[in-house]
Amino acid sequence: MNHPDGPQLITYADRLGGGLTDLRRLLDGPLAGAFDGVHVLPYYRPFDGADAGFDPEDHTIVDPRLGTWEDIRALSERGVVMSDVIVNHVSIRSEQFRDVVEHGDDSPWAPMFLTLSSVFPDGVTEADLARIYRPRPGLPFTTMTLGGVPRLVWTTFTPEQVDIDLRSDQAWDYLVSVLDALTGAGVTMIRLDAVGYAGKEAGTDCFMTAATQAYVDRITELAHERGASVLLEIHGHYLQQVEIARTVDYVYDFALPPLVLHALHGRDLAPLARWMEVRPTNAVTVLDTHDGIGIVDVGPNDLRPGEPGLLRPEQIDALVESIHDASGGASRLATGAAASNLDLYQVNCTFYDALGRDDRRYLLARLVQLMLPGIPQVYYVGLLAGENDMELFGRTGVGRDINRAYFTPQDVQAHLERPVVACQLEALRLRSSHEAFQGEFSSEIDGTRAVLTWTAPESAVQLCFDVEDASFALAERRGAGPWRAVVSDGDLSPMAEAARLAATQR
């Protein structure tokens, strides 16, 4: 693992065959050479709370059911480790908030948490409340009793997650302790979760305010002092991402997943081509993550009416319906008001199901991701071309659980033997090792056809494809040698698989 900008795996520690030690064995074993880093989703205590670890009771402790800080350090010794700093909130069961529940304003931790009056000490108007931007319906407040007094506590996401007041010394003491724990164990990339909602200010929509930028700058400075870079997790209008990218280490390319899906469902590369002209290169590229497939990232600007998106409203409607149809209606059941823990701006579905479990189109989508500039991250469900987990969704009623399956070691092994997974791994190993990816990127798009190329002084990698029929070929050249085919659509045909199996048995 030699490339800090090479491919990274995104996974929960407990959902890919076991705990942290099992994850390391997997990366050193069947996944060897494919990933230069790993984003381990929250492994803090507890990792299985109300929001799958994003509601930590103690953000400075590894849940002992998963492992220890030494296990994180062992992962860091083999490559980049990214971890989440959950900036906006903590669990209602955290030691700090439980003390506030008991003692109210007499608690030393009281200034750390936001109530309605924290942001609006002079009172609030209907216009103030209507202006607040939230990724869920309704107002971001939950009535709780603090020290015997009913209060409106700020809860942006769920009543289980109470928001932090970053104007307080207590909040910064807390965040510094988290950064120290992570970087002390060798974590070198920090993902700021939900930070866009952390800068609440009266008279604003309370999203990505001037205060938010100041907080991001302060956390980034603290991270840099500790040898870590920072990734901002922000869903919003594409131009907002372009602006933010100029001020931080990394942003997500959240526009890419819906644009790739639009290209493959609608046989239309034009919106993706427009995005490629302006997209930031200090991006972490994804197709799927532990959350849903973002839609707001390609839509019109909710905060600046009249500013169009990368897709027109009718194209977005068609895209969402295409996903629902391709998934056999499963994504419709798991999205929006049909499921709890809903996000208004996301469709809950595995990326594999979003493309109708079509191996060829799915692999083409992954290759486009791997060819674009940035750090490619591959979600564990996507790596295994996983299908919607309707059983898990049925048990929890949480829409995003449709794409958060649990894989046993036996499940992992079975999926690794599938041609679509084997082809992804071959392409990932190329992305990790080929010197052309340290060179120059270029693209040519003509109608439904495109050529994406990386060129270094003595090497090149090229992807040619057509979204009309999802045909593609990935090839590489080193030195003065000839072009060599790496992966093509033919590698997924029954005849190609039969030939591969016959060759292994000779």
Side-chain angles (χ1 to χ4, degrees), residues 77-388:
E77 290 171 352
R78 65 179 310 283
V80 174
V81 173
M82 181 186 295
S83 294
D84 293 271
V85 172
I86 301 156
V87 177
N88 184 69
H89 52 262
V90 298
S91 170
I92 60 170
R93 287 173 290 277
S94 65
E95 180 180 347
Q96 298 93 331
F97 190 69
R98 284 190 286 110
D99 193 75
V100 176
V101 169
E102 182 176 354
H103 299 107
D105 288 341
D106 292 332
S107 168
W109 296 104
M112 179 173 164
F113 300 101
L114 281 167
T115 64
L116 175 65
S117 61
S118 302
V119 179
F120 300 100
D122 300 322
V124 64
T125 68
E126 181 178 341
D128 289 328
L129 294 176
R131 189 184 295 120
I132 297 172
Y133 179 73
R134 188 182 186 227
R136 289 157 170 73
L139 293 173
F141 306 105
T142 301
T143 302
M144 300 184 190
T145 301
L146 308 182
V149 179
R151 303 288 298 275
L152 284 176
V153 178
W154 207 301
T155 52
T156 293
F157 291 92
T158 74
E160 300 286 322
Q161 296 156 295
V162 293
D163 287 19
I164 295 170
D165 190 344
L166 292 186
R167 297 170 300 179
S168 69
D169 292 338
Q170 291 88 339
W172 285 99
D173 289 344
Y174 163 76
L175 288 175
V176 168
S177 72
V178 173
L179 287 170
D180 285 343
L182 293 173
T183 56
V187 173
T188 55
M189 288 190 73
I190 300 295
R191 176 183 179 271
L192 300 187
D193 175 71
V195 70
Y197 301 92
K200 286 93 167 171
E201 292 184 290
T204 75
D205 52 35
C206 297
F207 180 74
M208 287 305 297
T209 63
T212 303
Q213 186 60 58
Y215 298 150
V216 169
D217 291 344
R218 185 172 175 182
I219 295 171
T220 300
E221 182 179 357
L222 291 168
H224 288 176
E225 290 172 355
R226 290 158 175 77
S229 57
V230 170
L231 165 66
L232 228 62
E233 188 245 354
I234 299 290
H235 282 278
H237 190 260
Y238 76 97
L239 290 179
Q240 187 178 37
Q241 292 281 31
V242 173
E243 293 169 5
I244 293 169
R246 299 188 182 105
T247 66
V248 298
D249 295 327
Y250 298 102
V251 293
Y252 278 110
D253 185 349
F254 282 136
L256 181 62
L259 291 178
V260 169
L261 287 172
H262 170 81
L264 290 169
H265 280 301
R267 277 67 168 174
D268 177 20
L269 280 172
L272 178 60
R274 288 196 298 273
W275 175 230
M276 287 171 60
E277 291 175 357
V278 299
R279 66 180 292 274
T281 56
N282 58 327
V284 170
T285 67
V286 292
L287 292 183
D288 44 1
T289 70
H290 56 288
D291 291 332
I293 298 167
I295 300 300
V296 69
D297 307 279
V298 293
N301 195 334
D302 290 338
L303 304 179
R304 299 175 189 170
E307 191 168 70
L310 291 163
L311 295 181
R312 300 187 304 274
E314 64 270 21
Q315 291 176 312
I316 292 175
D317 291 342
L319 171 61
V320 172
E321 288 304 312
S322 294
I323 296 172
H324 292 335
D325 290 344
S327 68
S331 60
R332 192 187 306 277
L333 295 174
T335 296
S340 62
N341 200 21
L342 61 99
D343 289 290
L344 298 179
Y345 53 68
Q346 295 180 343
V347 175
N348 292 317
C349 187
T350 69
F351 210 84
Y352 188 55
D353 274 285
L355 286 169
R357 302 179 184 176
D358 184 321
D359 285 359
R360 185 164 64 173
R361 293 185 183 277
Y362 183 72
L363 183 55
L364 173 54
R366 183 69 68 198
L367 294 178
V368 171
Q369 177 202 1
L370 294 180
M371 286 295 290
L372 289 184
I375 298 176
Q377 282 194 340
V378 179
Y379 186 51
Y380 76 107
V381 176
L383 175 68
L384 300 180
E387 300 171 359
N388 284 328

Side-chain angles (χ1 to χ4, degrees), residues 19-21 43 60-75 185:
L20 290 168
T21 55
Y43 44 85
T60 64
I61 293 178
V62 176
D63 193 307
R65 293 171 292 171
L66 297 177
T68 67
W69 284 118
E70 287 306 311
D71 293 315
I72 298 298
R73 180 172 295 282
L75 283 171

